[in-house]
């Protein structure tokens, strides 16, 4: 995964409305724009715009049925975020272990 892909993913989830839409799709499953709009507290065009950004980041997929599109969360798209968080967690674990070792040697 390249840096640009990470940037798109992080940028798309940095907006609280988009995070709320993504979380709703994760917790409640597939929904239409109308259903999402009912909970979002913003206009349908605004929800559609946020869905477009989430879709561009690969976080949301759409399935057409009749005149409506049913959106669903694409949880696998979170893998780069999970990998990055795991790497950063490992970085700080090593730093804290090094500090603990240093403090242990200073006590002797």
């Amino acid at each position: 995964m390249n840096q640009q892909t990470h940037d798109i993913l992080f940028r798309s989830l940095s907006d609280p409305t988009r995070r709320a839409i993504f979380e709703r799709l994760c917790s409640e499953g597939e929904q239409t724009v109308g259903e999402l709009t009912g909970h979002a507290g913003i206009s349908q065009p605004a929800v559609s715009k946020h869905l477009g950004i989430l879709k561009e980041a690969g976080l949301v997929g759409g399935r057409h049925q009749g005149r409506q599109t049913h959106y669903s969360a694409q949880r696998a798209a979170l893998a780069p975020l999970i990998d990055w968080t795991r790497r950063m967690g490992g970085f700080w674990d090593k730093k804290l272990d090094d500090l603990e070792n240093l403090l242990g040697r200073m006590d002797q």
Side-chain angles (χ1 to χ4, degrees), residues 16-85:
T17 301
R18 285 194 290 274
R19 270 196 318 276
I21 291 170
F22 183 73
E23 288 172 9
R24 178 167 291 282
L25 290 172
C26 284
S27 65
E28 298 184 15
E30 190 177 87
Q31 296 190 19
T32 64
V33 173
E35 292 168 331
L36 290 167
T37 300
H39 297 281
I42 56 176
S43 68
Q44 187 168 331
V47 170
S48 292
K49 185 175 179 181
H50 284 298
L51 282 168
I53 293 169
L54 290 168
K55 195 171 180 179
E56 188 176 306
L59 291 164
V60 167
R63 175 182 62 81
H64 297 285
Q65 184 176 6
R67 296 174 58 188
Q68 293 189 324
T69 302
H70 296 258
Y71 292 94
S72 60
Q74 303 297 305
R75 295 175 189 192
L78 290 175
L81 176 66
I82 293 166
D83 291 343
W84 183 86
T85 304

Side-chain angles (χ1 to χ4, degrees), residues 91-108:
F91 170 81
W92 285 110
D93 286 345
K94 181 179 180 335
K95 293 292 184 190
L96 291 173
D97 287 345
D98 291 347
L99 177 61
E100 187 175 347
N101 288 335
L102 176 65
L103 292 173
R105 287 192 310 257
M106 291 174 70
D107 283 343
Q108 295 175 356

